[in-house]
Amino acid sequence: MSNIITRNIPNSITSCNLFCGCVASYMAFQNEYRLAMLFIVLGAVFDFFDGMTARLLKVSSPIGKELDSLADNITFGLAPSAIVFSLFKEVYMPSFMAGISEYVPYFAFIISVFSALRLAKFNLDERQTRSFIGMPTPANALFWSSFAIWIIEDSNLIHSFNALYLLLLVIFMSLLLVSELPMFSLKFKSLSWKSNKIQYIFLAVSVILLGLCGLSGLPAVIIWYIILSAITYKKA
């Protein structure tokens, strides 16, 4: 009996990730962007600990891997899509898009589609052990959740950042998910500067950005992550 319980602990944690993703999606459709972001962050925490727990207990299984991808596509695919869907309805719609304005928000679900492709690619790509190829889905979800809060809470941005810009950003970030751009991870095998200088530089600048801007600085942190990965890709 204890062996059955032990085997299912990681899957239970993964299920908590899935639950958080469902709640985050609902909150996003209700325009509760801060709560949506909170549950995305909680989902990311569960996503971190399910894999760690499986390794510690030595109970990894094929079903756990599949469940993890399904949960991730809800929390880091559907939830950010729901956020952008709601955001499309709040930003300014240019007059030349007026004829298709009711259909434009549905382009937000491109994020979910490309997140699923990214997760499937990750499961099959043996190159992605210490680093990533393409934008990790949790980073993409954190970008969109914090970006929505930043836009909504700035009265100037909500009127100047129109639906066309948002659509172009959706396409860019979605393509980045499945791109061949190597992106470093925050996995530390040691604390040495030589082995982790990219990570240390990233964290130092990120702390400064968040210290200066608070939560609204998180989109800048993700952009900084993309830029630093692009600059140092040969070393990542």
Side-chain angles (χ1 to χ4, degrees), residues 46-106:
F46 286 122
D47 183 50
F48 175 79
F49 282 107
D50 64 359
M52 175 185 289
T53 305
R55 287 188 293 272
L56 288 174
L57 298 176
K58 298 180 180 179
V59 291
S60 59
S61 64
I63 191 172
K65 186 176 181 181
E66 297 302 323
L67 181 62
D68 184 66
S69 292
L70 291 170
D72 284 355
N73 197 39
I74 298 297
T75 306
F76 310 128
L78 179 60
S81 290
I83 288 171
V84 178
F85 179 86
S86 297
L87 191 58
F88 264 120
K89 296 186 175 184
E90 299 200 53
V91 298
Y92 170 72
M93 188 70 65
S95 57
F96 67 87
M97 297 178 72
I100 59 169
S101 60
E102 62 181 301
Y103 306 109
V104 170
Y106 292 96

Side-chain angles (χ1 to χ4, degrees), residues 10-25 39-40 42-44 46-48 50-51 63-80 112 115-116 119 123 137-138 141:
N11 290 343
S12 298
I13 298 173
T14 302
S15 297
C16 290
N17 173 17
L18 176 58
F19 177 82
C20 288
C22 293
V23 176
S25 300
F39 280 97
I40 286 174
L42 286 174
F46 286 122
D47 183 50
F48 175 79
D50 64 359
I63 191 172
K65 186 176 181 181
E66 297 302 323
L67 181 62
D68 184 66
S69 292
L70 291 170
D72 284 355
N73 197 39
I74 298 297
T75 306
F76 310 128
L78 179 60
S112 186
S115 294
L119 291 164
N123 287 343
T137 53

Side-chain angles (χ1 to χ4, degrees), residues 36 41 85 111 137 144 152 175 221:
V41 171
F85 179 86
I111 297 169
T137 53
W144 284 115
I152 291 299
L175 291 175
V221 169

Side-chain angles (χ1 to χ4, degrees), residues 110-122:
I110 292 173
I111 297 169
S112 186
V113 172
F114 276 82
S115 294
L117 290 170
R118 157 79 184 134
L119 291 164
K121 180 181 176 183
F122 178 81

Side-chain angles (χ1 to χ4, degrees), residues 17-39:
N17 173 17
L18 176 58
F19 177 82
C20 288
C22 293
V23 176
S25 300
Y26 174 78
M27 292 300 174
F29 284 128
Q30 299 300 311
N31 299 339
E32 296 286 351
Y33 300 113
R34 283 185 173 270
L35 286 174
M37 182 176 181
L38 172 63
F39 280 97

Side-chain angles (χ1 to χ4, degrees), residues 127-167:
R127 298 173 296 170
Q128 302 188 57
T129 52
R130 283 210 65 198
S131 60
F132 301 109
I133 306 295
M135 169 76 86
T137 53
N140 186 57
L142 287 174
F143 171 82
W144 284 115
S145 55
S146 57
F147 179 79
I149 295 170
W150 178 47
I151 292 289
I152 291 299
E153 295 185 353
D154 190 314
S155 56
N156 293 320
L157 277 174
I158 192 62
H159 296 296
S160 60
F161 196 91
N162 67 50
L164 177 62
Y165 301 150
L166 186 56
L167 178 58

Side-chain angles (χ1 to χ4, degrees), residues 184-224:
F184 63 89
S185 75
L186 291 176
K187 295 177 182 177
F188 290 82
K189 284 195 172 181
S190 70
L191 297 178
S192 71
W193 165 260
K194 185 177 180 181
S195 301
N196 303 289
K197 60 182 177 182
I198 295 173
Q199 287 86 345
Y200 282 130
I201 292 170
F202 169 73
L203 291 172
V205 175
S206 297
V207 168
I208 293 171
L209 289 171
L210 292 173
L212 292 173
C213 307
L215 185 61
S216 60
L218 191 51
V221 169
I222 303 300
I223 297 298
W224 165 232

